[in-house]
Amino acid sequence: MEQRKLTDQANTLVDLSKMQSVMYDLISELHERSEDLEKQLEGLEHKLEQLGCGFSSLPGLLSESMRLQQAEILRAIAESRATGALSSLSDSTLASNPTPRTTSSSC
């Protein structure tokens, strides 16, 4: 009877050792996944910051573009009045507006 108890205890110790090994492997894997997830979240945060900077610079870029287009239209109208030919103001003249330059924002 005592020998049977000793055998049961030995089996329990082996099972406990196996369980400890399995748990260690699981915890290690979870830790690695947690680190990967953290890196992905940091990347997403960086991209969100870039989007925020882009959105905050958008009103200025739109304003500059509209100012340039308005100046081009006014110049074309003034030229057409000076030459006396209002019909020379065509879509191609209005469409040849320069593209506004984009500046990098330091957000």
Side-chain angles (χ1 to χ4, degrees):
M1 188 70 143
E2 286 183 24
Q3 190 176 7
R4 192 175 283 169
K5 285 182 182 178
L6 285 175
T7 305
D8 286 344
Q9 287 177 353
N11 288 336
T12 304
L13 288 175
V14 170
D15 290 342
L16 184 63
S17 175
K18 286 181 183 177
M19 178 71 88
Q20 184 179 11
S21 176
V22 168
M23 291 302 290
Y24 178 79
D25 291 342
L26 285 173
I27 289 174
S28 295
E29 185 178 342
L30 285 174
H31 182 69
E32 288 174 10
R33 287 184 180 185
S34 170
E35 288 176 349
D36 290 343
L37 186 60
E38 234 177 273
K39 288 177 185 176
Q40 288 177 354
L41 283 174
E42 287 175 5
L44 286 174
E45 285 175 357
H46 180 68
K47 289 178 182 178
L48 277 174
E49 287 174 3
Q50 288 178 333
L51 280 173
C53 288
F55 283 134
S56 66
S57 66
L58 189 60
L61 292 173
L62 288 173
S63 175
E64 178 70 14
S65 175
M66 291 175 69
R67 187 189 64 75
L68 290 173
Q69 287 178 353
Q70 184 180 19
E72 182 67 25
I73 290 171
L74 291 175
R75 185 192 60 76
I77 290 172
E79 283 178 3
S80 68
R81 284 186 182 161
T83 61
L86 188 59
S87 62
S88 68
L89 184 62
S90 66
D91 290 337
S92 62
T93 305
L94 295 176
S96 66
N97 294 327
T99 306
R101 56 190 153 87
T102 58
T103 59
S104 61
S105 174
S106 61
C107 293

